[in-house]
Amino acid sequence: MKKKMYYLLRTLQITGLVIVCIIIAYQFTLLKETSNQIGYQQTERFSYSLTNLAAAEAARYLSQKKTNDLQLLINDLNHDPIVRDATIYDNLGQILYQSEDVLALPILLKIAQPDNPKADGVIPYIAELYNETEKIGYIRITLEQDKILGLIHDYQQKSLSIMLQILILAFVAGTIIMALFFRRLEAAYYHIVKELYKLSEKNRIYW
């Protein structure tokens, strides 16, 4: 009976360990998927924020007819590594200012030359320009989404790597603690087994 209780407890221990490992693996995978979803959401928010900020500046310069400032704004946007190109239109859709090597809308929207590699991994964002309540134009900023996601992905990978290292260190620390207190734990374990055995014997006699 004592041996049966020993193997029963050992089986419960192994089963518990397997369940804990499965839960950790599941939570780790779920965390990674959630991080990817958050990455896409943060990319969208950042893109809209950048476009709206540039739109506010462009509307102010356009309403004040500050042509040099508008061109400087386009140049600054074009020098940003995550910006593919930028274009400012009037209220009729005519191009006023644009950066160098700008992607044409048919190519960007893949209406013409759908297999053009230049249009892969980029997303256009368009905002309207207003002078108070009067619409005076538009701004289109094409962002390198792959680069933004790449930066977020690198950060997430570093965070997950640090978390994995912490889990490994916690396991090692737990192993060391078990080694230090092994004798006490072993004595407590056999005491529990002995008490359970006595309890089972009493129940058997009672029945």
Side-chain angles (χ1 to χ4, degrees), residues 1-166:
M1 185 65 182
K2 187 176 181 179
K3 185 175 289 187
K4 289 182 179 180
M5 292 298 300
Y6 172 80
Y7 284 118
L8 176 61
L9 290 174
R10 182 67 67 179
T11 302
L12 290 175
Q13 290 173 343
I14 295 173
T15 303
L17 179 61
V18 171
I19 292 173
V20 169
C21 291
I22 291 174
I23 293 174
I24 291 174
Y26 173 76
Q27 292 294 334
F28 192 79
T29 303
L30 184 63
L31 179 62
K32 192 171 183 179
E33 292 178 356
T34 304
S35 298
N36 290 334
Q37 293 175 1
I38 292 174
Y40 279 101
Q41 293 174 2
Q42 292 299 323
T43 300
E44 289 293 320
R45 291 177 182 175
F46 170 78
S47 302
Y48 280 116
S49 297
L50 177 62
T51 304
N52 291 333
L53 180 61
E57 291 293 312
R60 182 163 61 89
Y61 294 148
L62 189 59
S63 62
Q64 297 174 1
K65 301 186 184 303
K66 294 183 177 181
T67 56
N68 291 334
D69 290 334
L70 280 170
Q71 192 59 57
L72 286 174
L73 174 63
I74 292 296
N75 293 338
D76 288 341
L77 288 171
N78 194 41
H79 291 154
D80 194 310
I82 64 172
V83 176
R84 174 61 179 78
D85 57 53
T87 304
I88 295 177
Y89 305 88
D90 63 13
N91 60 334
L92 299 177
Q94 300 296 318
I95 296 175
L96 297 178
Y97 304 92
Q98 64 181 13
S99 57
E100 298 178 357
D101 192 26
V102 65
L103 284 175
L105 277 176
I107 296 176
L108 187 60
L109 301 177
K110 297 186 178 181
I111 299 173
Q113 300 178 350
D115 296 329
N116 195 314
K118 292 183 178 180
D120 293 337
V122 296
I123 294 182
Y125 290 88
I126 299 175
E128 298 176 336
L129 307 180
Y130 285 91
N131 181 15
E132 295 182 353
T133 59
E134 179 188 0
K135 186 187 296 183
I136 57 177
Y138 306 86
I139 185 171
R140 171 172 66 89
I141 300 177
T142 306
L143 297 178
E144 300 274 5
Q145 189 186 43
D146 286 350
K147 290 184 179 180
I148 302 174
L149 289 175
L151 293 173
I152 296 175
H153 179 72
D154 290 342
Y155 174 77
Q156 291 174 347
Q157 287 297 110
K158 289 180 181 178
S159 299
L160 292 174
S161 177
I162 291 173
M163 185 176 298
L164 183 60
Q165 291 176 15
I166 292 174

Side-chain angles (χ1 to χ4, degrees), residues 112 117 130 139 174 184 193 199:
Y130 285 91
I139 185 171
R184 293 182 181 179
V193 172
L199 182 62

Side-chain angles (χ1 to χ4, degrees), residues 192-204:
I192 293 172
V193 172
K194 185 177 179 181
E195 292 298 324
L196 290 174
Y197 176 74
K198 288 180 180 179
L199 182 62
S200 63
E201 287 294 322
K202 288 180 180 179
N203 291 333
R204 189 175 65 177

